[in-house]
Amino acid sequence: MRVIIQPDYEKLSAWAADYVVKRINEAQPTAEKPFVLGLPTGSSPQGMYRNLVKTYKEGRVSFKNVITFNMDEYVGLPEDHPESYHTFMAENLFNHIDCPKENIHILNGNAPDLEAECANYERMIVEAGGIDLFLGGIGPDGHIAFNEPGSSLTARTRQKTLTTDTRIANSRFAAFHNNPEEVPATALTVGPGTVMAAKEVLILCNGHNKARALQAAVEGPVTQMWTISVLQMHQHGIIVCDEAACDMLTVGTYKYFKDIEKL
């Protein structure tokens, strides 16, 4: 695992965006051999998305031959709801870049058969050749996507019940009016197994409220109670974090990663 420590959220976001651009450009994707990108939602990736839009407008990258698969979507929330992840992705990224609509995949939380929707999502990922780079964030309780504590570390895309803490945290978004009851109780989400099957995984972690999760991810054991800890088992896992998120790392761990990433 690599741990990239940046001074603040802005630098974290710029580093992550530059890494994505580098990977896409190195792959030189074509229509026949596209680059497959896994994408997150939430507050952590917003700065990265702003930087990706900027680099696209500067002509430094094209998403024309990129296929995307988003991590998750609420169950029962209309796609045009202000807090749906369809809306989030359109407003933060897809409306501003040249990724073809047919290349964009987001789970349908209103599908008549949610189990079939999840199975088909996994099938589409395989048919696309697998995820080249999966991006994600970390919740304060160490969850990735909507894989709450206690989730199977080998699970694939499925419907998950959201914890009260997650619904409270997500109620901060405007259209939920700070009311956890307005946040859907379940969501469709890729599983840790889905993320781990990617060729490379890049996780964003910012803020003091993520410090315990980062410590668990980097220094703790691999456990279902901190689903992010499964990243320790990935051959090409990276966490890019800011200084605030490092507050609970031991001094030795902090200095180690600062030292080896100087080169």
Side-chain angles (χ1 to χ4, degrees), residues 1 137-145 147-153 165 192 196 205 208-233 239 248:
M1 179 193 295
I138 308 179
D141 60 2
H143 72 258
I144 50 174
N147 296 285
E148 306 280 20
S151 296
S152 165
L153 298 182
D165 284 347
M196 290 291 287
C205 182
H208 176 74
N209 67 321
K210 307 289 179 70
R212 285 188 66 224
L214 182 64
Q215 181 192 40
V218 177
E219 297 179 340
V222 176
T223 169
Q224 74 220 32
M225 298 313 294
W226 295 91
T227 52
I228 185 58
S229 68
V230 74
L231 190 66
Q232 295 176 28
M233 306 294 290
I239 297 177
M248 295 187 69

Side-chain angles (χ1 to χ4, degrees), residues 100-220:
K101 190 170 184 179
E102 60 270 20
N103 285 10
I104 296 169
H105 302 88
I106 305 177
L107 285 154
N108 178 8
N110 296 289
D113 185 336
L114 296 177
E115 188 173 339
E117 169 70 10
C118 294
N120 185 54
Y121 205 67
E122 289 282 339
R123 193 158 45 246
M124 288 191 295
I125 291 174
V126 172
E127 290 171 355
I131 306 286
D132 291 302
L133 174 60
F134 221 134
L135 308 171
I138 308 179
D141 60 2
H143 72 258
I144 50 174
F146 276 128
N147 296 285
E148 306 280 20
S151 296
S152 165
L153 298 182
T154 61
R156 296 286 181 151
T157 304
R158 68 225 186 279
Q159 184 176 4
K160 283 289 290 179
T161 299
L162 306 186
T163 65
T164 299
D165 284 347
T166 294
R167 294 177 76 191
I168 290 172
N170 289 3
S171 69
R172 72 187 185 278
F173 296 109
F176 290 141
H177 309 107
N178 285 314
N179 181 4
E181 292 300 317
E182 294 190 25
V183 180
T186 65
L188 302 184
T189 180
V190 299
T194 314
V195 176
M196 290 291 287
K199 299 177 183 72
E200 192 170 13
V201 180
L202 173 60
I203 299 295
L204 314 177
C205 182
N206 63 286
H208 176 74
N209 67 321
K210 307 289 179 70
R212 285 188 66 224
L214 182 64
Q215 181 192 40
V218 177
E219 297 179 340

Side-chain angles (χ1 to χ4, degrees), residues 1 19 27 41 47 55 61 87-88 95 109 150 156 159 206 217 223 230 249:
M1 179 193 295
Y19 193 84
T41 52
T55 56
V61 68
T87 297
F88 176 96
N95 286 350
R156 296 286 181 151
Q159 184 176 4
N206 63 286
T223 169
V230 74
L249 293 180

Side-chain angles (χ1 to χ4, degrees), residues 229-256:
S229 68
V230 74
L231 190 66
Q232 295 176 28
M233 306 294 290
H234 201 284
Q235 289 187 329
H236 300 288
I238 303 174
I239 297 177
V240 57
C241 56
D242 61 10
E243 291 280 352
C246 295
D247 284 354
M248 295 187 69
L249 293 180
T250 63
V251 173
T253 297
Y254 175 87
K255 286 185 174 181
Y256 170 76

